[in-house]
Amino acid sequence: MSGGRAAELSATGTAVDIGDVTTRYLLYGLLPGWFVPGLADWVMHRRTRIEDTAGTKESLIHSLMMAEVGIPIALTLRYEVNPLLLTVQLGGAAVHEATALWDVKTAVDSDREVKPLEQHIHSFLESLPFAALAALMCLHADQVRALTRGGRGHKDAWRLVPRRRPPSPGYLAGIGAAIGACVLLPYGEELLRCVRASRARKKLSKKGR
């Protein structure tokens, strides 16, 4: 994923490729680590019984936020970083931040208790997209400069270009499995729980008339 081959000498005197080290950090550190606060946030929603407070609305907002970060990540794993992809990534990060504010407001307005621990978990979920984007922009400083010039002089600036060195099929399969286990399954369960609780309340309301 590196746009350059900058190397430095480590303390032992061996050459270290900074681009490759940063890429490995993004692929095997930051991205997998992202699932931990996401799963912890789901636990907090369950403990505060989201289905009885903010319900389906907040759960759908969670799904929206996952799409806002998931789509840029999927595109970055599949395509080369260029002005088009950087625009998608920057837009996704900005929209995700705005949606995060909407999410907390929805929870508070519904009287769902957002405990200090959950707020701390949110700080990770909000900062990680910017941390990943900052590292990626450092790796592809030439593409950042191209973006500031509107892509002039780059024939592929505004189209998706498949990666020359994509992640291995094994890595993609592992990330896909982690997404299924740590994102789709728990948050799908949350949405289903909220929908069922909403239907149950409507049935009780009809019976009480």
Side-chain angles (χ1 to χ4, degrees), residues 114-153:
V114 182
K115 297 183 178 182
L117 178 57
E118 183 177 347
Q119 294 176 25
H120 191 59
I121 291 169
H122 287 173
S123 70
F124 285 95
L125 293 172
E126 290 181 46
S127 62
L128 284 174
F130 292 102
L133 186 53
L136 201 65
M137 292 173 75
C138 289
L139 281 173
H140 299 277
D142 57 331
Q143 297 303 320
V144 175
R145 289 192 294 270
L147 176 60
T148 63
R149 295 193 296 267
R152 291 192 300 274

mmCIF file of all heavy atoms in Angstrom, residues 114-153:
data_model
loop_
_atom_site.group_PDB
_atom_site.id
_atom_site.type_symbol
_atom_site.label_atom_id
_atom_site.label_comp_id
_atom_site.label_asym_id
_atom_site.label_seq_id
_atom_site.Cartn_x
_atom_site.Cartn_y
_atom_site.Cartn_z
ATOM 1 N N VAL A 114 -25.678 7.021 28.699
ATOM 2 C CA VAL A 114 -24.381 6.853 28.048
ATOM 3 C C VAL A 114 -23.318 7.024 29.127
ATOM 4 O O VAL A 114 -22.947 8.143 29.483
ATOM 5 C CB VAL A 114 -24.192 7.878 26.905
ATOM 6 C CG1 VAL A 114 -22.851 7.647 26.206
ATOM 7 C CG2 VAL A 114 -25.334 7.780 25.905
ATOM 8 N N LYS A 115 -22.848 5.917 29.659
ATOM 9 C CA LYS A 115 -21.953 5.934 30.800
ATOM 10 C C LYS A 115 -20.548 6.400 30.400
ATOM 11 O O LYS A 115 -20.188 6.373 29.217
ATOM 12 C CB LYS A 115 -21.892 4.543 31.431
ATOM 13 C CG LYS A 115 -23.237 4.077 31.982
ATOM 14 C CD LYS A 115 -23.126 2.738 32.664
ATOM 15 C CE LYS A 115 -24.481 2.313 33.255
ATOM 16 N NZ LYS A 115 -24.394 1.029 33.970
ATOM 17 N N PRO A 116 -19.748 6.851 31.382
ATOM 18 C CA PRO A 116 -18.388 7.309 31.075
ATOM 19 C C PRO A 116 -17.567 6.285 30.293
ATOM 20 O O PRO A 116 -16.802 6.659 29.407
ATOM 21 C CB PRO A 116 -17.795 7.574 32.467
ATOM 22 C CG PRO A 116 -18.972 7.946 33.301
ATOM 23 C CD PRO A 116 -20.101 7.078 32.798
ATOM 24 N N LEU A 117 -17.718 5.004 30.622
ATOM 25 C CA LEU A 117 -16.970 3.978 29.896
ATOM 26 C C LEU A 117 -17.359 3.968 28.426
ATOM 27 O O LEU A 117 -16.493 3.867 27.537
ATOM 28 C CB LEU A 117 -17.216 2.599 30.516
ATOM 29 C CG LEU A 117 -16.520 1.425 29.817
ATOM 30 C CD1 LEU A 117 -15.016 1.652 29.766
ATOM 31 C CD2 LEU A 117 -16.854 0.119 30.514
ATOM 32 N N GLU A 118 -18.661 4.078 28.134
ATOM 33 C CA GLU A 118 -19.103 4.098 26.739
ATOM 34 C C GLU A 118 -18.580 5.345 26.030
ATOM 35 O O GLU A 118 -18.182 5.280 24.861
ATOM 36 C CB GLU A 118 -20.625 4.045 26.648
ATOM 37 C CG GLU A 118 -21.129 3.988 25.208
ATOM 38 C CD GLU A 118 -22.637 3.851 25.101
ATOM 39 O OE1 GLU A 118 -23.285 3.549 26.118
ATOM 40 O OE2 GLU A 118 -23.166 4.052 23.988
ATOM 41 N N GLN A 119 -18.576 6.488 26.725
ATOM 42 C CA GLN A 119 -18.039 7.708 26.129
ATOM 43 C C GLN A 119 -16.557 7.540 25.792
ATOM 44 O O GLN A 119 -16.088 8.019 24.745
ATOM 45 C CB GLN A 119 -18.236 8.881 27.087
ATOM 46 C CG GLN A 119 -19.698 9.241 27.326
ATOM 47 C CD GLN A 119 -19.844 10.349 28.361
ATOM 48 O OE1 GLN A 119 -18.937 11.138 28.565
ATOM 49 N NE2 GLN A 119 -20.995 10.399 29.020
ATOM 50 N N HIS A 120 -15.822 6.841 26.660
ATOM 51 C CA HIS A 120 -14.398 6.596 26.407
ATOM 52 C C HIS A 120 -14.227 5.673 25.200
ATOM 53 O O HIS A 120 -13.324 5.884 24.367
ATOM 54 C CB HIS A 120 -13.750 5.981 27.646
ATOM 55 C CG HIS A 120 -12.261 5.929 27.581
ATOM 56 N ND1 HIS A 120 -11.472 7.049 27.423
ATOM 57 C CD2 HIS A 120 -11.398 4.872 27.630
ATOM 58 C CE1 HIS A 120 -10.198 6.694 27.380
ATOM 59 N NE2 HIS A 120 -10.128 5.386 27.504
ATOM 60 N N ILE A 121 -15.093 4.681 25.076
ATOM 61 C CA ILE A 121 -15.053 3.794 23.908
ATOM 62 C C ILE A 121 -15.310 4.593 22.642
ATOM 63 O O ILE A 121 -14.653 4.387 21.611
ATOM 64 C CB ILE A 121 -16.092 2.657 24.069
ATOM 65 C CG1 ILE A 121 -15.668 1.708 25.198
ATOM 66 C CG2 ILE A 121 -16.252 1.875 22.760
ATOM 67 C CD1 ILE A 121 -16.754 0.725 25.610
ATOM 68 N N HIS A 122 -16.249 5.535 22.713
ATOM 69 C CA HIS A 122 -16.549 6.379 21.555
ATOM 70 C C HIS A 122 -15.320 7.174 21.118
ATOM 71 O O HIS A 122 -15.144 7.442 19.925
ATOM 72 C CB HIS A 122 -17.683 7.354 21.886
ATOM 73 C CG HIS A 122 -19.021 6.701 21.977
ATOM 74 N ND1 HIS A 122 -20.154 7.372 22.407
ATOM 75 C CD2 HIS A 122 -19.435 5.445 21.686
ATOM 76 C CE1 HIS A 122 -21.182 6.561 22.384
ATOM 77 N NE2 HIS A 122 -20.770 5.379 21.953
ATOM 78 N N SER A 123 -14.496 7.581 22.083
ATOM 79 C CA SER A 123 -13.312 8.374 21.725
ATOM 80 C C SER A 123 -12.385 7.581 20.806
ATOM 81 O O SER A 123 -11.776 8.152 19.888
ATOM 82 C CB SER A 123 -12.571 8.822 22.986
ATOM 83 O OG SER A 123 -11.939 7.724 23.640
ATOM 84 N N PHE A 124 -12.288 6.264 21.025
ATOM 85 C CA PHE A 124 -11.496 5.421 20.134
ATOM 86 C C PHE A 124 -12.153 5.311 18.763
ATOM 87 O O PHE A 124 -11.492 5.427 17.726
ATOM 88 C CB PHE A 124 -11.320 4.024 20.738
ATOM 89 C CG PHE A 124 -10.327 3.964 21.862
ATOM 90 C CD1 PHE A 124 -10.747 4.070 23.176
ATOM 91 C CD2 PHE A 124 -8.973 3.822 21.605
ATOM 92 C CE1 PHE A 124 -9.836 4.025 24.217
ATOM 93 C CE2 PHE A 124 -8.052 3.777 22.642
ATOM 94 C CZ PHE A 124 -8.483 3.885 23.960
ATOM 95 N N LEU A 125 -13.453 5.076 18.747
ATOM 96 C CA LEU A 125 -14.162 4.896 17.494
ATOM 97 C C LEU A 125 -14.137 6.160 16.638
ATOM 98 O O LEU A 125 -14.187 6.086 15.405
ATOM 99 C CB LEU A 125 -15.610 4.474 17.765
ATOM 100 C CG LEU A 125 -15.772 3.084 18.379
ATOM 101 C CD1 LEU A 125 -17.228 2.845 18.789
ATOM 102 C CD2 LEU A 125 -15.319 2.013 17.395
ATOM 103 N N GLU A 126 -14.079 7.315 17.276
ATOM 104 C CA GLU A 126 -14.039 8.573 16.526
ATOM 105 C C GLU A 126 -12.620 8.925 16.070
ATOM 106 O O GLU A 126 -12.441 9.504 14.999
ATOM 107 C CB GLU A 126 -14.587 9.709 17.393
ATOM 108 C CG GLU A 126 -16.086 9.627 17.631
ATOM 109 C CD GLU A 126 -16.602 10.792 18.468
ATOM 110 O OE1 GLU A 126 -16.220 11.929 18.155
ATOM 111 O OE2 GLU A 126 -17.354 10.554 19.427
ATOM 112 N N SER A 127 -11.614 8.589 16.865
ATOM 113 C CA SER A 127 -10.242 8.979 16.530
ATOM 114 C C SER A 127 -9.560 8.018 15.559
ATOM 115 O O SER A 127 -8.697 8.442 14.771
ATOM 116 C CB SER A 127 -9.403 9.106 17.804
ATOM 117 O OG SER A 127 -9.326 7.869 18.491
ATOM 118 N N LEU A 128 -9.914 6.737 15.594
ATOM 119 C CA LEU A 128 -9.239 5.759 14.744
ATOM 120 C C LEU A 128 -9.360 6.062 13.254
ATOM 121 O O LEU A 128 -8.377 5.898 12.518
ATOM 122 C CB LEU A 128 -9.747 4.347 15.062
ATOM 123 C CG LEU A 128 -9.197 3.742 16.353
ATOM 124 C CD1 LEU A 128 -9.873 2.408 16.667
ATOM 125 C CD2 LEU A 128 -7.687 3.550 16.257
ATOM 126 N N PRO A 129 -10.533 6.492 12.740
ATOM 127 C CA PRO A 129 -10.584 6.832 11.307
ATOM 128 C C PRO A 129 -9.592 7.929 10.931
ATOM 129 O O PRO A 129 -8.946 7.856 9.874
ATOM 130 C CB PRO A 129 -12.031 7.299 11.107
ATOM 131 C CG PRO A 129 -12.796 6.635 12.190
ATOM 132 C CD PRO A 129 -11.860 6.587 13.364
ATOM 133 N N PHE A 130 -9.442 8.944 11.785
ATOM 134 C CA PHE A 130 -8.506 10.030 11.490
ATOM 135 C C PHE A 130 -7.061 9.559 11.610
ATOM 136 O O PHE A 130 -6.196 9.990 10.840
ATOM 137 C CB PHE A 130 -8.772 11.211 12.427
ATOM 138 C CG PHE A 130 -10.091 11.883 12.171
ATOM 139 C CD1 PHE A 130 -11.178 11.644 13.000
ATOM 140 C CD2 PHE A 130 -10.256 12.736 11.096
ATOM 141 C CE1 PHE A 130 -12.397 12.251 12.769
ATOM 142 C CE2 PHE A 130 -11.476 13.356 10.851
ATOM 143 C CZ PHE A 130 -12.549 13.111 11.686
ATOM 144 N N ALA A 131 -6.791 8.657 12.566
ATOM 145 C CA ALA A 131 -5.440 8.116 12.705
ATOM 146 C C ALA A 131 -5.054 7.314 11.467
ATOM 147 O O ALA A 131 -3.942 7.443 10.939
ATOM 148 C CB ALA A 131 -5.354 7.238 13.955
ATOM 149 N N ALA A 132 -5.980 6.486 10.995
ATOM 150 C CA ALA A 132 -5.715 5.681 9.802
ATOM 151 C C ALA A 132 -5.528 6.568 8.578
ATOM 152 O O ALA A 132 -4.610 6.358 7.766
ATOM 153 C CB ALA A 132 -6.872 4.707 9.572
ATOM 154 N N LEU A 133 -6.373 7.577 8.461
ATOM 155 C CA LEU A 133 -6.300 8.466 7.304
ATOM 156 C C LEU A 133 -5.011 9.280 7.312
ATOM 157 O O LEU A 133 -4.382 9.481 6.262
ATOM 158 C CB LEU A 133 -7.523 9.389 7.284
ATOM 159 C CG LEU A 133 -7.697 10.302 6.070
ATOM 160 C CD1 LEU A 133 -7.645 9.500 4.769
ATOM 161 C CD2 LEU A 133 -9.003 11.062 6.175
ATOM 162 N N ALA A 134 -4.592 9.740 8.489
ATOM 163 C CA ALA A 134 -3.353 10.508 8.591
ATOM 164 C C ALA A 134 -2.150 9.665 8.157
ATOM 165 O O ALA A 134 -1.282 10.135 7.413
ATOM 166 C CB ALA A 134 -3.160 11.003 10.020
ATOM 167 N N ALA A 135 -2.097 8.406 8.621
ATOM 168 C CA ALA A 135 -0.990 7.523 8.246
ATOM 169 C C ALA A 135 -1.006 7.252 6.748
ATOM 170 O O ALA A 135 0.037 7.245 6.083
ATOM 171 C CB ALA A 135 -1.087 6.211 9.022
ATOM 172 N N LEU A 136 -2.191 7.042 6.197
ATOM 173 C CA LEU A 136 -2.312 6.763 4.767
ATOM 174 C C LEU A 136 -1.889 7.969 3.935
ATOM 175 O O LEU A 136 -1.235 7.822 2.894
ATOM 176 C CB LEU A 136 -3.760 6.376 4.442
ATOM 177 C CG LEU A 136 -3.989 5.594 3.147
ATOM 178 C CD1 LEU A 136 -3.323 4.223 3.247
ATOM 179 C CD2 LEU A 136 -5.477 5.424 2.893
ATOM 180 N N MET A 137 -2.229 9.168 4.397
ATOM 181 C CA MET A 137 -1.845 10.372 3.670
ATOM 182 C C MET A 137 -0.340 10.597 3.725
ATOM 183 O O MET A 137 0.249 11.111 2.764
ATOM 184 C CB MET A 137 -2.602 11.580 4.222
ATOM 185 C CG MET A 137 -4.098 11.530 3.917
ATOM 186 S SD MET A 137 -5.060 12.836 4.731
ATOM 187 C CE MET A 137 -4.603 14.254 3.715
ATOM 188 N N CYS A 138 0.293 10.207 4.833
ATOM 189 C CA CYS A 138 1.754 10.285 4.906
ATOM 190 C C CYS A 138 2.391 9.310 3.915
ATOM 191 O O CYS A 138 3.413 9.624 3.285
ATOM 192 C CB CYS A 138 2.230 9.974 6.325
ATOM 193 S SG CYS A 138 1.860 11.274 7.529
ATOM 194 N N LEU A 139 1.805 8.140 3.778
ATOM 195 C CA LEU A 139 2.315 7.154 2.831
ATOM 196 C C LEU A 139 2.178 7.623 1.389
ATOM 197 O O LEU A 139 2.977 7.251 0.527
ATOM 198 C CB LEU A 139 1.565 5.827 2.992
ATOM 199 C CG LEU A 139 1.960 4.919 4.152
ATOM 200 C CD1 LEU A 139 1.006 3.742 4.252
ATOM 201 C CD2 LEU A 139 3.396 4.425 3.991
ATOM 202 N N HIS A 140 1.152 8.420 1.134
ATOM 203 C CA HIS A 140 0.846 8.837 -0.239
ATOM 204 C C HIS A 140 0.822 10.359 -0.339
ATOM 205 O O HIS A 140 -0.130 10.952 -0.847
ATOM 206 C CB HIS A 140 -0.499 8.252 -0.671
ATOM 207 C CG HIS A 140 -0.521 6.752 -0.653
ATOM 208 N ND1 HIS A 140 -0.037 5.986 -1.691
ATOM 209 C CD2 HIS A 140 -0.949 5.874 0.292
ATOM 210 C CE1 HIS A 140 -0.174 4.701 -1.398
ATOM 211 N NE2 HIS A 140 -0.722 4.605 -0.200
ATOM 212 N N ALA A 141 1.910 10.972 0.127
ATOM 213 C CA ALA A 141 1.985 12.434 0.107
ATOM 214 C C ALA A 141 1.883 12.979 -1.315
ATOM 215 O O ALA A 141 1.344 14.070 -1.531
ATOM 216 C CB ALA A 141 3.290 12.895 0.753
ATOM 217 N N ASP A 142 2.384 12.235 -2.308
ATOM 218 C CA ASP A 142 2.298 12.700 -3.691
ATOM 219 C C ASP A 142 0.841 12.797 -4.148
ATOM 220 O O ASP A 142 0.469 13.726 -4.886
ATOM 221 C CB ASP A 142 3.075 11.759 -4.614
ATOM 222 C CG ASP A 142 2.592 10.316 -4.531
ATOM 223 O OD1 ASP A 142 2.089 9.897 -3.458
ATOM 224 O OD2 ASP A 142 2.707 9.591 -5.541
ATOM 225 N N GLN A 143 0.018 11.869 -3.696
ATOM 226 C CA GLN A 143 -1.393 11.899 -4.071
ATOM 227 C C GLN A 143 -2.146 13.006 -3.319
ATOM 228 O O GLN A 143 -3.108 13.569 -3.839
ATOM 229 C CB GLN A 143 -2.041 10.539 -3.801
ATOM 230 C CG GLN A 143 -1.459 9.399 -4.619
ATOM 231 C CD GLN A 143 -1.549 9.659 -6.123
ATOM 232 O OE1 GLN A 143 -2.548 10.179 -6.613
ATOM 233 N NE2 GLN A 143 -0.495 9.284 -6.840
ATOM 234 N N VAL A 144 -1.697 13.309 -2.103
ATOM 235 C CA VAL A 144 -2.284 14.437 -1.366
ATOM 236 C C VAL A 144 -1.991 15.732 -2.112
ATOM 237 O O VAL A 144 -2.872 16.594 -2.283
ATOM 238 C CB VAL A 144 -1.732 14.503 0.067
ATOM 239 C CG1 VAL A 144 -2.255 15.748 0.788
ATOM 240 C CG2 VAL A 144 -2.115 13.245 0.848
ATOM 241 N N ARG A 145 -0.743 15.893 -2.584
ATOM 242 C CA ARG A 145 -0.393 17.089 -3.370
ATOM 243 C C ARG A 145 -1.212 17.148 -4.651
ATOM 244 O O ARG A 145 -1.679 18.221 -5.056
ATOM 245 C CB ARG A 145 1.107 17.091 -3.682
ATOM 246 C CG ARG A 145 1.991 17.365 -2.471
ATOM 247 C CD ARG A 145 3.427 17.639 -2.907
ATOM 248 N NE ARG A 145 4.040 16.458 -3.512
ATOM 249 C CZ ARG A 145 4.718 15.546 -2.818
ATOM 250 N NH1 ARG A 145 4.851 15.681 -1.502
ATOM 251 N NH2 ARG A 145 5.258 14.501 -3.436
ATOM 252 N N ALA A 146 -1.407 15.988 -5.284
ATOM 253 C CA ALA A 146 -2.209 15.951 -6.512
ATOM 254 C C ALA A 146 -3.642 16.377 -6.231
ATOM 255 O O ALA A 146 -4.276 17.075 -7.039
ATOM 256 C CB ALA A 146 -2.176 14.551 -7.116
ATOM 257 N N LEU A 147 -4.171 15.966 -5.079
ATOM 258 C CA LEU A 147 -5.541 16.348 -4.707
ATOM 259 C C LEU A 147 -5.654 17.856 -4.534
ATOM 260 O O LEU A 147 -6.640 18.464 -4.965
ATOM 261 C CB LEU A 147 -5.945 15.628 -3.418
ATOM 262 C CG LEU A 147 -7.320 15.987 -2.841
ATOM 263 C CD1 LEU A 147 -8.434 15.657 -3.838
ATOM 264 C CD2 LEU A 147 -7.556 15.259 -1.522
ATOM 265 N N THR A 148 -4.642 18.466 -3.891
ATOM 266 C CA THR A 148 -4.694 19.918 -3.689
ATOM 267 C C THR A 148 -4.635 20.672 -5.007
ATOM 268 O O THR A 148 -5.060 21.831 -5.080
ATOM 269 C CB THR A 148 -3.546 20.386 -2.781
ATOM 270 O OG1 THR A 148 -2.280 20.101 -3.414
ATOM 271 C CG2 THR A 148 -3.599 19.687 -1.428
ATOM 272 N N ARG A 149 -4.114 20.014 -6.057
ATOM 273 C CA ARG A 149 -4.071 20.638 -7.388
ATOM 274 C C ARG A 149 -5.242 20.212 -8.260
ATOM 275 O O ARG A 149 -5.242 20.451 -9.469
ATOM 276 C CB ARG A 149 -2.753 20.283 -8.083
ATOM 277 C CG ARG A 149 -1.504 20.832 -7.406
ATOM 278 C CD ARG A 149 -0.282 20.706 -8.310
ATOM 279 N NE ARG A 149 0.039 19.311 -8.583
ATOM 280 C CZ ARG A 149 0.900 18.584 -7.871
ATOM 281 N NH1 ARG A 149 1.512 19.128 -6.823
ATOM 282 N NH2 ARG A 149 1.149 17.333 -8.183
ATOM 283 N N GLY A 150 -6.215 19.543 -7.636
ATOM 284 C CA GLY A 150 -7.378 19.106 -8.404
ATOM 285 C C GLY A 150 -7.110 17.930 -9.316
ATOM 286 O O GLY A 150 -7.881 17.672 -10.249
ATOM 287 N N GLY A 151 -5.996 17.227 -9.073
ATOM 288 C CA GLY A 151 -5.662 16.067 -9.880
ATOM 289 C C GLY A 151 -5.020 16.389 -11.209
ATOM 290 O O GLY A 151 -4.808 15.491 -12.031
ATOM 291 N N ARG A 152 -4.688 17.655 -11.436
ATOM 292 C CA ARG A 152 -4.086 18.032 -12.717
ATOM 293 C C ARG A 152 -2.738 17.334 -12.899
ATOM 294 O O ARG A 152 -1.919 17.271 -11.986
ATOM 295 C CB ARG A 152 -3.892 19.544 -12.799
ATOM 296 C CG ARG A 152 -5.195 20.323 -12.904
ATOM 297 C CD ARG A 152 -4.929 21.786 -13.283
ATOM 298 N NE ARG A 152 -4.092 22.462 -12.285
ATOM 299 C CZ ARG A 152 -4.580 23.037 -11.194
ATOM 300 N NH1 ARG A 152 -5.889 23.015 -10.947
ATOM 301 N NH2 ARG A 152 -3.767 23.637 -10.349
ATOM 302 N N GLY A 153 -2.532 16.803 -14.095
ATOM 303 C CA GLY A 153 -1.290 16.106 -14.400
ATOM 304 C C GLY A 153 -1.298 14.633 -14.064
ATOM 305 O O GLY A 153 -0.318 13.935 -14.319
#
